[in-house]
Amino acid sequence: MMSAAPILLTGGTGQVGQAVLRHAEERGLEIVAPNRTQMDLTNARSIIDMVASRGWSSVINCAAYTAVDRAETDAELAEQVNAVAPAILAAETATLDIPIIHVSTDYVFDGTNGAPYTEEDAVNPLGVYGRTKEMGESAVRTRNPRHAIIRTAWVVSAGGANFINTMIRLAAVRPEVSVVDDQIGCPSSALDIAETLLVVAEHLREQSGTWHFVNSGDASWYDLAARIFANMDQRGLPTPALKAIPSSQYPTPAKRPSNSRLSTLAIQRDFGVKPRHWHYAIDAILAERFKI
């Protein structure tokens, strides 16, 4: 069983952080999620003081600078949040013998693999966001021997800024929506990611390492949009025409991996986690989103 000591959660206002808080409440777990005033990730002393303030059972680091395109011109802040802050967290938790669970991303890979990425595949980030997240991973690995790095991808939920809510917003104002169909990944529910993080926190003992968690099955962004609009259509909601386009027709400041698929065999083996198919995850999110 998980220790009765509380969990320290960073990034509690984000999609995954909110989902961790929700699951923890359902399970009767005590979690402390300081806000930016209580714990400033750009201030080393603030981080150190928070880690030292309680006897934590574990630290779950969901905090990240996730504005992929903006990171290209805001590299200093992206590095501070994604690399420097995790390094301080890892060092301080190691000093106090507290395990750390650190959330990372498919963006540490370049997307050229022809198969789902495993934990043993070489990293090669394409942009500032991916590079700073990879720096954070390295810092956690080297500074705290009691660590779990959980890479995920294509995070969606009923709330917050994500692809699902963007598609719902566009459906209300556009007769046609164009979505890229040459980037492949694994749409993943923030609630499912959060549940996995708590499983890892409960069972993480002396084993340390890197694991991947995403919902099962593959999809392009076009496939995901099609699922969203089909679900909306079944609810009698207005839906736009959907047009598939190549990434070249939707240029962005940061290059995206064309293959973001992640293999989850290791986390299934080591923690008994069984990801549900992304179809079911997306349908559940939409049911919550529309309260139907």
Side-chain angles (χ1 to χ4, degrees), residues 179-233:
V179 178
V180 298
D181 68 348
D182 56 358
Q183 295 173 24
I184 308 299
C186 311
S188 300
S189 164
L191 282 170
D192 293 6
I193 298 165
E195 186 173 21
T196 299
L197 293 175
L198 290 174
V199 168
V200 171
E202 184 174 0
H203 296 288
L204 187 65
R205 295 293 180 261
E206 294 309 313
Q207 67 172 331
S208 292
T210 301
W211 290 271
H212 293 168
F213 177 83
V214 288
N215 285 115
S216 67
D218 302 339
S220 67
W221 290 113
Y222 175 88
D223 295 332
L224 178 52
R227 184 78 182 188
I228 295 166
F229 292 152
N231 188 294
M232 292 173 64
D233 184 62

Side-chain angles (χ1 to χ4, degrees), residues 74-132:
D74 196 13
E76 185 176 350
L77 182 57
E79 182 174 342
Q80 178 65 45
V81 176
N82 292 343
V84 177
I88 298 167
L89 276 171
E92 293 307 307
T93 50
T95 298
L96 298 170
D97 194 29
I98 301 168
I100 183 169
I101 296 95
H102 176 71
V103 179
S104 193
T105 174
D106 60 293
Y107 275 74
V108 300
F109 298 115
D110 61 16
T112 60
N113 228 21
Y117 281 93
T118 71
E119 292 80 357
E120 289 73 37
D121 284 322
V123 297
N124 186 33
L126 297 174
V128 171
Y129 170 66
R131 284 199 300 272
T132 57

Side-chain angles (χ1 to χ4, degrees), residues 6-278:
I7 296 169
L8 174 61
L9 172 70
T10 67
T13 60
Q15 290 188 89
V16 176
Q18 285 286 297
V20 170
L21 288 169
R22 180 167 155 183
H23 274 304
E25 183 178 6
E26 292 170 355
R27 295 170 61 173
L29 300 174
E30 183 184 359
I31 288 198
V32 175
N35 60 34
R36 288 182 177 87
T37 301
Q38 296 166 321
M39 183 180 182
D40 181 357
L41 293 177
T42 66
N43 184 305
R45 175 48 55 188
S46 179
I47 298 171
I48 292 167
D49 288 348
M50 181 57 68
V51 173
S53 67
R54 297 277 294 273
W56 310 108
S57 63
S58 61
V59 172
I60 300 178
N61 183 32
C62 293
Y65 185 109
T66 57
V68 176
D69 290 323
R70 195 162 67 240
E72 295 297 310
T73 53
D74 196 13
E76 185 176 350
L77 182 57
E79 182 174 342
Q80 178 65 45
V81 176
N82 292 343
V84 177
I88 298 167
L89 276 171
E92 293 307 307
T93 50
T95 298
L96 298 170
D97 194 29
I98 301 168
I100 183 169
I101 296 95
H102 176 71
V103 179
S104 193
T105 174
D106 60 293
Y107 275 74
V108 300
F109 298 115
D110 61 16
T112 60
N113 228 21
Y117 281 93
T118 71
E119 292 80 357
E120 289 73 37
D121 284 322
V123 297
N124 186 33
L126 297 174
V128 171
Y129 170 66
R131 284 199 300 272
T132 57
K133 289 297 290 182
E134 195 279 323
M135 291 165 64
E137 285 190 10
S138 296
V140 170
R141 284 191 196 96
T142 56
R143 294 185 177 219
N144 189 336
R146 299 182 67 196
H147 69 264
I149 293 165
I150 309 298
R151 293 183 185 135
T152 190
W154 293 26
V155 182
V156 287
S157 61
N162 61 65
F163 186 83
I164 288 178
N165 287 324
T166 297
M167 289 300 104
I168 292 171
R169 175 174 54 81
L170 292 178
V173 296
R174 293 187 185 176
E176 181 179 86
V177 173
S178 297
V179 178
V180 298
D181 68 348
D182 56 358
Q183 295 173 24
I184 308 299
C186 311
S188 300
S189 164
L191 282 170
D192 293 6
I193 298 165
E195 186 173 21
T196 299
L197 293 175
L198 290 174
V199 168
V200 171
E202 184 174 0
H203 296 288
L204 187 65
R205 295 293 180 261
E206 294 309 313
Q207 67 172 331
S208 292
T210 301
W211 290 271
H212 293 168
F213 177 83
V214 288
N215 285 115
S216 67
D218 302 339
S220 67
W221 290 113
Y222 175 88
D223 295 332
L224 178 52
R227 184 78 182 188
I228 295 166
F229 292 152
N231 188 294
M232 292 173 64
D233 184 62
Q234 290 174 357
R235 297 172 189 280
L237 299 169
T239 56
L242 183 59
K243 179 182 178 182
I245 60 170
S247 298
S248 59
Q249 290 187 26
Y250 189 75
T252 54
K255 183 175 173 56
R256 268 68 172 165
S258 58
N259 172 28
S260 289
R261 294 175 295 163
L262 301 177
S263 169
T264 61
L265 293 177
I267 203 164
Q268 292 187 54
R269 177 194 68 219
D270 296 340
F271 292 98
V273 171
K274 303 295 183 187
R276 59 178 167 168
H277 197 279
W278 71 266

